[in-house]
Amino acid sequence: MKRRLILALMLMGCGSAAAQATADFPYGPSHVFAAFRNGERIGTHTLTFQQNGDKRTVTTSIDFAVKALGLTMYRYMHRGQEVWNGNTFESIATQTDDNGTKFGIKARNDATGLAVVREGSGAPKMTASDVGFQQGTPNQATLPSSTLPSTHWNLNQVKQSAMLNSQNGALAKVQITPRGRETIKTANGTLEATRYTYTGDVQMDQWFDDRGRWVKSAFKASDGSTIEYILQE
């Protein structure tokens, strides 16, 4: 009888923790950014969040197109889906087309760590710690189970020293430094947020508001242009 009571209390505690994680979640059903290149809009980055009991599915859709004289000079498409159990990252699957260079990754947390399988169409090394792709050959690796994906929205990533690159599956080593409070612009006004600077294999600035929501990004593209995300609220 005592043993059954202890087990029941443990299960109740787990349920309460999961319920608290759900209650504290700062996002609504969707979260949308407009992306600008040197001040000109080039596309959107959309997140959707679906809760099913303790499970949360996060879907990412990114579509960029850079045009000149009416012609599309560069196109980027990314689709991803993450699964979380409360605050525990369980899996991710993504597909990316970076102007004709294609990537695909799948990663799942299991008893041995975060098991990653990635594929690419002749993609080069992406980071200093990356072994690179062999064209047409799946590449597998096991990363620490605490590794989070670089999908921007999760405030816990600012505590990390390495993340799973959600585009190409490489382990991205980062240093993340808080830069203080700033007032940022959104499509419908302004809000207060904390700025974080990412250096290392990921180089960008991100802003999170007091609720823990990702509310802005800025970074340099490979051609030197400035990409800025503006929250559409």
Side-chain angles (χ1 to χ4, degrees), residues 125-163:
K125 289 178 65 174
M126 301 298 293
T127 71
S129 57
D130 186 15
V131 297
F133 291 106
Q134 295 179 11
Q135 187 167 359
T137 302
N139 184 283
Q140 302 182 35
T142 300
L143 305 179
S145 59
S146 59
T147 306
L148 299 182
S150 63
T151 46
H152 304 293
W153 63 268
N154 191 338
L155 179 59
N156 286 325
Q157 71 180 228
V158 304
K159 306 171 186 175
Q160 305 296 306
S161 58
M163 293 185 288

Side-chain angles (χ1 to χ4, degrees), residues 82-139:
E82 302 162 63
V83 177
W84 293 72
N85 188 345
N87 290 322
T88 301
F89 171 53
E90 289 194 341
S91 66
I92 187 171
T94 72
Q95 294 288 329
T96 304
D97 187 333
D98 186 358
N99 208 39
T101 299
K102 296 182 179 181
F103 306 86
I105 74 165
K106 293 181 180 180
R108 179 174 294 277
N109 257 323
D110 59 25
T112 62
L114 182 64
V116 182
V117 178
R118 59 190 186 137
E119 296 180 339
S121 58
K125 289 178 65 174
M126 301 298 293
T127 71
S129 57
D130 186 15
V131 297
F133 291 106
Q134 295 179 11
Q135 187 167 359
T137 302
N139 184 283

Side-chain angles (χ1 to χ4, degrees), residues 34-218:
F36 294 82
R37 176 181 179 268
N38 293 340
E40 181 178 351
R41 184 163 178 168
I42 59 170
T44 57
H45 185 139
T46 301
L47 295 165
T48 60
F49 302 92
Q50 183 176 9
Q51 195 74 36
N52 184 10
D54 296 341
K55 298 282 187 177
R56 177 179 299 118
T57 301
V58 183
T59 302
T60 299
S61 298
I62 308 173
D63 292 282
F64 295 163
V66 177
K67 297 183 178 182
L69 302 177
L71 299 176
T72 299
M73 309 303 293
Y74 173 81
R75 188 179 298 277
Y76 180 90
M77 183 275 293
H78 175 88
R79 299 289 183 268
Q81 188 172 81
E82 302 162 63
V83 177
W84 293 72
N85 188 345
N87 290 322
T88 301
F89 171 53
E90 289 194 341
S91 66
I92 187 171
T94 72
Q95 294 288 329
T96 304
D97 187 333
D98 186 358
N99 208 39
T101 299
K102 296 182 179 181
F103 306 86
I105 74 165
K106 293 181 180 180
R108 179 174 294 277
N109 257 323
D110 59 25
T112 62
L114 182 64
V116 182
V117 178
R118 59 190 186 137
E119 296 180 339
S121 58
K125 289 178 65 174
M126 301 298 293
T127 71
S129 57
D130 186 15
V131 297
F133 291 106
Q134 295 179 11
Q135 187 167 359
T137 302
N139 184 283
Q140 302 182 35
T142 300
L143 305 179
S145 59
S146 59
T147 306
L148 299 182
S150 63
T151 46
H152 304 293
W153 63 268
N154 191 338
L155 179 59
N156 286 325
Q157 71 180 228
V158 304
K159 306 171 186 175
Q160 305 296 306
S161 58
M163 293 185 288
L164 172 69
N165 186 310
S166 56
Q167 173 181 278
N168 60 53
L171 181 66
K173 296 182 179 180
V174 293
Q175 299 81 44
I176 302 175
T177 305
R179 297 298 187 189
R181 305 275 292 169
E182 295 183 3
T183 301
I184 67 161
K185 294 181 179 180
T186 73
N188 295 316
T190 61
L191 54 79
E192 297 300 310
T194 301
R195 177 183 177 185
Y196 295 87
T197 297
Y198 293 53
T199 55
D201 292 331
V202 178
Q203 298 188 15
M204 66 189 308
D205 286 288
Q206 294 226 126
W207 287 257
F208 290 87
D209 70 6
D210 293 340
R211 294 162 58 187
R213 300 181 309 157
W214 169 40
V215 293
K216 182 181 176 181
S217 284

